[in-house]
Amino acid sequence: MGSLAVSLLLSGCATWSQSEVLNPNTAVREIKQVTPEQVKLTEGDITNRPYISLGDLSVTVNKTTIFHPEPTREMVDSKLKEEAAKLGADAVIYVRYGTVGISALSWGSLDGKGRAIQFTDN
């Protein structure tokens, strides 16, 4: 029982995550300051405003132990917004979610993908 308590104390957070930007737009541009709360998410496209693609995002949220709750779409959304804000994105389009599953490195994980964009009509 003591080792279980120690491992729970050492685990700290309920989740950990990983992310990457695929096919980044490397054109020279000013990265504007954006907070994650300002980034919009949509599972479709945005057709009423012109934009440039900054890159495709891929994130995974994992739970650290069997005792923590399963990762949720809200957790994935938060991570997508964080990564998009680092790029100065206004939105993430074409958002897709994987399924919750157990892997060798976690007791459950949920994937999310999307394309970070920046509006050009600002």
Side-chain angles (χ1 to χ4, degrees):
M1 180 74 173
S3 64
L4 176 61
V6 170
S7 65
L8 287 175
L9 283 173
L10 293 177
S11 67
C13 296
T15 60
W16 59 275
S17 60
Q18 61 190 41
S19 58
E20 65 181 315
V21 178
L22 308 170
N23 306 316
N25 181 345
T26 57
V28 176
R29 63 177 177 81
E30 180 181 334
I31 297 177
K32 63 184 190 175
Q33 298 295 313
V34 178
T35 64
E37 295 78 24
Q38 294 173 299
V39 176
K40 305 206 180 339
L41 296 181
T42 180
E43 292 183 16
D45 194 5
I46 295 176
T47 58
N48 61 343
R49 293 182 73 179
Y51 62 80
I52 59 169
S53 173
L54 302 179
D56 293 332
L57 303 176
S58 177
V59 302
T60 302
V61 177
N62 299 289
K63 68 180 195 172
T64 55
T65 71
I66 195 168
F67 304 107
H68 291 107
E70 295 293 329
T72 65
R73 283 186 172 205
E74 290 77 20
M75 292 173 176
V76 171
D77 288 349
S78 177
K79 192 64 181 168
L80 283 169
K81 287 181 175 187
E82 286 176 29
E83 294 305 313
K86 290 178 188 176
L87 297 174
D90 294 305
V92 179
I93 59 174
Y94 303 128
V95 175
R96 299 288 180 262
Y97 304 94
T99 57
V100 175
I102 296 174
S103 70
L105 299 176
S106 80
W107 286 98
S109 63
L110 183 60
D111 298 325
K113 296 181 185 228
R115 179 166 298 147
I117 63 165
Q118 185 177 73
F119 296 120
T120 57
D121 62 354
N122 292 346

